[in-house]
């Protein structure tokens, strides 16, 4: 059967495939330490689970409005006001089957053939494919470790052309953990506002932020920027709810309406039970979240110290999310058992085969000098995994 060109152009998510390979090796009984994971290792908090059980028992198991229940959209409006200083109406909120789905919807309604979308690299893998699926052209703008992997106003200006339609900002970032400050966002925002370029602001790691850093939504910086921005967020990372599939977008009314209309012909409403659970996640106790953030903070500090103690690896302190993105370029061109290492992909393959440590090579994010280590795993696993990495790297010469 012939496949459409659209389908032939899709590359499967490399982060999910590494994770799948590691899980397969584990299922075969191999002792793999998985630093490839992209989800919190914590269980969904009990109050949230309980709300879902009650929703089932009360029969809240039918279709809901396509963009989400009134209750959930109102809870999201309150959250955006309280945490982000943003004023939205429930009609501006569209709830989808995860933030990834929200992003898919927004690229579909904003982008078309001939449009350019600026993606600062390292970027989250799905942006690239989703931009292409919308028929638009991704414009990848590399950022530098020395700039904290953050797009500078100069780099932004030089990437903008007459075709630039959207810029994606992801703070805190996956994979680098970079957190943009208010003044950095202001500088980028001034350029974008003056040119009327739309912004997709992926804020899914908002809650996972350390060292007293402040999460700022670029939409909150001026009324003009709010009109140009679609805020993307969700419950997956903040409430350890990856499997529940709830994400949302907050957008100007015509954009929200177009996203809901698109969704009405694809998935309809997101899962009704997960929506009830999400109201509890947004309105209930924040205690489990605080504990999770404290634990991530501890692991980040520990793993960072271990990584920077390995000769030839260097990693700046990430301000958010649950990843480290160390540079391994000093190993490029060196040999392991006579095999030459050309980039982080080769190193990742070696580590999985020879040391049984799974991690994601930076090429997945547009930078093969680095690799991504997730610390969404226990201190014991981090210790053992780092021992293995250290041992293997010491055998490279
Ligand atoms: C995990 C992730 C998402 C999507 O999360 P969902 O599970 O689909 O809600 C979106 N953006 C980034 C940067 C992520 O890491």
């Amino acid at each position: 059967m012939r496949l459409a060109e659209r389908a032939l152009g899709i590359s499967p998510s490399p982060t999910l495939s590494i994770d799948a390979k590691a899980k397969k090796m584990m299922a075969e009984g191999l002792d793999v330490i998985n630093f490839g994971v992209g989800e919190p290792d914590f269980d969904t908090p009990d109050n949230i689970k309980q709300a879902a059980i009650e929703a089932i028992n009360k029969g809240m198991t039918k279709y809901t409005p396509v963009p989400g229940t009134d209750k959930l959209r109102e809870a999201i409006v309150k959250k955006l006001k309280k945490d982000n200083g943003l004023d939205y109406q429930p009609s501006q909120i569209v709830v989808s089957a995860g933030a990834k789905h929200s992003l898919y919807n927004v690229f579909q309604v904003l982008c078309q053939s001939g449009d350019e979308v600026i993606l600062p690299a390292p970027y989250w893998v799905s942006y690239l494919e989703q931009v292409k699926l919308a028929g638009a052209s991704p414009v990848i703008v590399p950022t530098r470790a020395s700039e904290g992997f953050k797009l500078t106003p100069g780099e932004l200006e030089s990437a903008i052309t007459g075709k630039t339609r959207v810029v994606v900002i992801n703070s805190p970032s996956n994979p680098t953990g970079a957190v943009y400050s208010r003044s950095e966002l202001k500088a980028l925002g001034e350029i974008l506002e003056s040119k009327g370029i739309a912004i997709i602001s992926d804020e899914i790691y908002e809650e996972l932020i350390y060292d007293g850093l402040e999460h700022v939504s670029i939409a909150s910086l001026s009324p003009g920027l709010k009109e140009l921005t679609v805020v993307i967020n969700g419950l997956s990372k903040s409430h350890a709810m990856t499997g529940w599939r709830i994400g949302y977008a907050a957008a100007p009314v015509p954009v929200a309406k177009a996203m809901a209309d698109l969704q009405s012909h694809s998935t309809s409403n997101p899962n009704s039970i997960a929506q009830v659970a999400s109201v509890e996640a947004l309105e209930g106790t924040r205690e489990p979240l605080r504990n999770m953030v404290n634990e991530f903070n501890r692991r980040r500090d520990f793993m960072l110290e271990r990584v920077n103690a390995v000769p030839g690896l260097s990693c700046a302190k990430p301000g958010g999310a649950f990843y480290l993105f160390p540079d391994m370029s000093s190993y490029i061109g060196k040999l392991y058992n006579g095999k030459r290492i050309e980039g982080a992909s080769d190193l990742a393959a070696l580590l999985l085969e020879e040391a049984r440590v799974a991690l994601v090579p930076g090429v997945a994010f547009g930078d093969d000098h680095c690799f991504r280590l997730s610390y969404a795993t226990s201190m014991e696993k981090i210790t053992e995994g780092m021992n293995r990495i250290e041992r293997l790297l010491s055998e490279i010469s």
Side-chain angles (χ1 to χ4, degrees):
M1 204 182 299
R2 191 213 66 180
L3 286 173
E5 268 173 39
R6 193 187 313 109
L8 293 171
I10 306 172
S11 323
S13 165
T15 48
L16 292 184
S17 59
I18 298 245
D19 194 46
K21 188 165 176 194
K23 282 182 178 149
K24 185 163 172 273
M25 287 172 73
M26 287 189 242
E28 286 163 1
L30 295 171
D31 164 32
V32 176
I33 302 283
N34 191 358
F35 290 152
V37 283
E39 61 184 341
D41 55 318
F42 294 83
D43 198 6
T44 303
D46 275 336
N47 60 313
I48 299 174
K49 290 185 189 172
Q50 213 49 51
I53 291 165
E54 278 163 33
I56 294 175
N57 288 335
K58 283 190 200 147
M60 298 164 92
T61 54
K62 303 289 205 289
Y63 289 135
T64 75
V66 168
T69 61
D70 291 350
K71 251 200 156 133
L72 178 53
R73 281 183 292 158
E74 277 158 21
I76 292 166
V77 164
K78 265 193 243 159
K79 178 255 172 267
L80 290 166
K81 175 78 187 152
K82 182 163 71 68
D83 297 347
N84 310 107
L86 289 167
D87 274 305
Y88 285 102
Q89 299 299 315
S91 60
Q92 297 180 276
I93 309 297
V94 181
V95 185
S96 300
K100 190 183 273 189
H101 185 206
S102 305
L103 286 160
Y104 180 85
N105 285 342
V106 70
F107 284 120
Q108 286 291 320
V109 306
L110 290 186
C111 302
Q112 61 194 20
S113 157
D115 292 343
E116 291 179 354
V117 176
I118 293 180
L119 300 179
Y123 49 78
W124 183 58
V125 288
S126 293
Y127 302 140
L128 186 74
E129 298 301 325
Q130 292 191 351
V131 167
K132 291 195 274 180
L133 281 167
S137 305
V139 174
I140 293 160
V141 182
T143 62
R144 283 162 297 152
S146 60
E147 297 286 346
F149 291 114
K150 290 185 263 191
L151 184 68
T152 65
E155 289 162 349
L156 173 63
E157 295 232 52
S158 15
I160 291 172
T161 73
K163 294 179 178 172
T164 306
R165 182 83 184 83
V166 175
V167 173
V168 176
I169 305 276
N170 173 215
S171 175
S173 152
N174 176 4
T176 67
V179 177
Y180 284 79
S181 71
R182 183 178 293 273
S183 60
E184 287 163 345
L185 290 174
K186 240 188 186 127
L188 299 177
E190 273 164 22
I191 297 168
L192 295 168
E193 193 172 347
S194 75
K195 304 197 188 249
I197 294 169
I199 303 155
I200 296 178
S201 180
D202 182 349
E203 304 180 15
I204 189 102
Y205 291 99
E206 163 180 25
E207 301 280 2
L208 306 182
I209 197 162
Y210 316 109
D211 307 324
L213 291 176
E214 174 198 24
H215 168 79
V216 177
S217 174
I218 194 166
S220 69
L221 296 180
S222 75
L225 280 170
K226 181 164 169 260
E227 274 307 299
L228 285 170
T229 303
V230 178
V231 175
I232 303 289
N233 209 328
L235 285 300
S236 287
K237 311 291 162 56
S238 58
H239 293 78
M241 289 177 70
T242 45
W244 299 71
R245 310 309 303 133
I246 295 290
Y248 58 87
V253 171
V255 178
K257 184 173 181 312
M259 290 175 72
D261 289 347
L262 172 67
Q263 182 164 298
S264 77
H265 294 296
S266 53
T267 58
S268 296
N269 61 273
N271 179 291
S272 61
I273 300 150
Q275 288 191 63
V276 178
S278 297
V279 173
E280 175 61 23
L282 290 169
E283 295 187 337
T285 171
R286 289 176 61 85
E287 184 73 23
L289 167 58
R290 270 194 294 273
N291 294 339
M292 183 170 78
V293 173
N294 286 339
E295 180 58 20
F296 278 144
N297 194 345
R298 224 164 61 89
R299 294 175 188 174
R300 178 199 61 160
D301 292 350
F302 176 68
M303 197 181 207
L304 185 67
E305 205 178 300
R306 289 292 314 259
V307 166
N308 281 324
V310 178
L313 293 185
S314 71
C315 186
K317 196 184 219 181
F322 41 68
Y323 310 103
L324 301 183
F325 200 62
D327 184 292
M328 54 67 70
S329 41
S330 71
Y331 287 93
I332 294 177
K334 293 196 173 167
L335 302 175
Y336 178 86
N337 276 348
K339 258 193 292 180
R340 207 179 124 90
I341 292 163
E342 305 289 353
S345 304
D346 289 347
L347 194 63
L350 257 185
L351 282 165
L352 186 57
E353 282 154 33
E354 305 289 337
R356 304 260 188 263
V357 177
L359 46 81
V360 185
V363 66
F365 314 100
D367 182 344
D368 209 31
H369 295 102
C370 298
F371 53 81
R372 191 189 77 176
L373 298 171
S374 163
Y375 50 87
T377 187
S378 68
M379 283 292 216
E380 292 69 32
K381 293 258 165 69
I382 294 173
T383 305
E384 173 59 19
M386 286 310 307
N387 290 346
R388 294 183 190 185
I389 290 176
E390 201 163 55
R391 209 175 310 130
L392 188 114
L393 294 192
S394 74
E395 293 163 12
I396 293 175
S397 54

